[in-house]
Amino acid sequence: EKEIELNKTYLQNTIDGLTESVALLNVDGDILLTNRKWHEFAIENDAIESEVSVGINYFEACKDKNGKWFEEAKKFAENIEKMIQGDINSFKFEYPCHSPDKKRWFIGTISLFKTDYEYFIVASHRDITERKEAEFSLKESEEFLNKTGEIARVGGWYLTDKFDTVYWTQTTGRIHELPDGYYPSLDE
């Protein structure tokens, strides 16, 4: 009995040390264990913690049509069910989950594992807001650069080190009277 308690404490402390929100589910979707980050996220987002904590059915919570992010949550539930049926091994999904005062994005990962006796599901949600903001900023910069080049009739190009591929702006292609989407090979 003492060893079981020690193992539970060890497991709880381990998942509490993770930076992403984590829940352990049984194959029926019941939440068996969550980490500190899971609870903090619920509190920060005015969730009713008793509706997203141990003992609650994750599938049912995901399928709640009154939920703000119903479509995204439903996708999780559907793919967990596919995993349990053996149709897929794991699932990752990027989704928005904006709060009233901040835009945020997450990547949810669902995986299945088996002990000697039964299967369990690990659901984790990692904040990728910083990466998404960088992607949006890069896209805006590229659009601005392309528009500026188009107006000035100045093209640009670059060579990737990794793939030895030449990329150029649409304006460069137009200057050379080539079709949109055409990229030359290194030999050209």
Side-chain angles (χ1 to χ4, degrees), residues 146 156-158 166-173 176 178-179 181-184:
N146 285 334
W157 62 273
Y158 64 95
V166 176
Y167 290 97
W168 60 26
T169 63
Q170 286 184 346
T171 302
T172 301
H176 294 284
L178 296 168
Y182 174 81
Y183 296 102

Side-chain angles (χ1 to χ4, degrees), residues 96-144:
C97 186
H98 307 314
S99 69
D101 61 331
K102 184 178 179 191
K103 289 192 176 277
R104 300 175 306 191
W105 290 265
F106 290 83
I107 185 165
T109 304
I110 308 295
S111 55
L112 184 71
F113 73 93
K114 185 178 190 272
T115 65
D116 292 338
Y117 307 105
E118 58 188 311
Y119 287 93
F120 293 94
I121 300 158
V122 176
S124 68
H125 302 269
R126 183 169 40 99
D127 189 337
I128 58 168
T129 301
E130 192 173 304
R131 189 197 86 204
K132 293 299 278 188
E133 288 174 344
E135 288 173 3
F136 293 138
S137 180
L138 178 61
K139 186 176 181 192
E140 286 176 350
S141 294
E142 286 175 346
E143 288 171 358
F144 177 76

Side-chain angles (χ1 to χ4, degrees), residues 60-90:
E60 294 307 313
C62 286
K63 292 177 182 176
D64 177 8
K65 291 184 179 178
N66 296 319
K68 186 174 183 180
W69 301 102
F70 168 68
E71 288 302 320
E72 291 82 359
K74 184 176 136 193
K75 193 168 187 172
F76 272 100
E78 289 169 351
N79 280 283
I80 291 171
E81 289 170 354
K82 285 180 185 178
M83 190 180 304
I84 291 167
Q85 294 166 1
D87 296 337
I88 59 174
N89 294 324
S90 63

